[in-house]
């Protein structure tokens, strides 16, 4: 399935549990002292603390991990999870990163 399907299902489960989250969280881009007219989005922000990057790839690469670390820095969050749904068991596709 597409990543967006997994994102929707995860959002449903979190809502059922009463866990606050934001899908497609938007991050404004700052350059020097200016906020630019462009932003980037990451898949989910859980409890205003944990950044999620959702993937469905054969292999999680350094590019995926660098992307997650960039989102953590931009969002000023410490903890991120990179979740790859293209595994036999989802727990085998989870990578935790802390800044």
């Amino acid at each position: 399935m597409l990543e967006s399907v997994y994102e929707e299902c995860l959002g449903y489960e979190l809502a059922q549990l009463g866990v606050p989250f934001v899908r497609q969280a938007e991050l404004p881009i700052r350059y020097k002292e200016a906020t630019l007219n462009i932003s980037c989005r990451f898949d989910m922000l859980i409890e205003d603390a944990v950044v999620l990057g959702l993937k469905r790839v054969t292999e999680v690469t350094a590019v995926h991990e660098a992307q997650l670390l960039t989102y953590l820095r931009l969002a000023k969050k410490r903890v991120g999870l990179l979740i790859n749904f293209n595994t036999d068991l989802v727990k085998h596709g989870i990578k935790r990163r802390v800044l």
Side-chain angles (χ1 to χ4, degrees), residues 9-47:
C9 292
L10 182 55
Y12 175 84
E13 292 296 329
L14 291 169
Q16 293 298 305
L17 294 170
V19 176
F21 69 95
V22 176
R23 287 182 59 202
Q24 293 300 308
E26 191 169 353
L27 291 170
I29 304 297
R30 293 200 40 83
Y31 179 73
K32 297 186 179 181
E33 64 279 344
T35 299
L36 304 179
N37 292 326
I38 191 168
S39 61
C40 63
R41 294 177 185 268
F42 57 89
D43 297 322
M44 287 185 141
L45 179 62
I46 310 297
E47 292 189 343

Side-chain angles (χ1 to χ4, degrees), residues 25-91:
E26 191 169 353
L27 291 170
I29 304 297
R30 293 200 40 83
Y31 179 73
K32 297 186 179 181
E33 64 279 344
T35 299
L36 304 179
N37 292 326
I38 191 168
S39 61
C40 63
R41 294 177 185 268
F42 57 89
D43 297 322
M44 287 185 141
L45 179 62
I46 310 297
E47 292 189 343
D48 197 33
V50 180
V51 172
L52 294 188
L54 307 178
K55 301 292 179 200
R56 192 200 169 284
V57 293
T58 304
E59 180 181 347
V60 173
T61 66
V63 170
H64 300 122
E65 294 191 43
Q67 182 182 46
L68 179 64
L69 292 173
T70 298
Y71 292 153
L72 286 172
R73 284 187 206 98
L74 289 173
K76 296 183 171 92
K77 305 298 180 196
R78 292 196 64 237
V79 179
L81 296 176
L82 191 55
I83 304 173
N84 183 15
F85 289 97
N86 191 26
T87 59
D88 292 336
L89 296 172
V90 174
K91 69 180 183 178

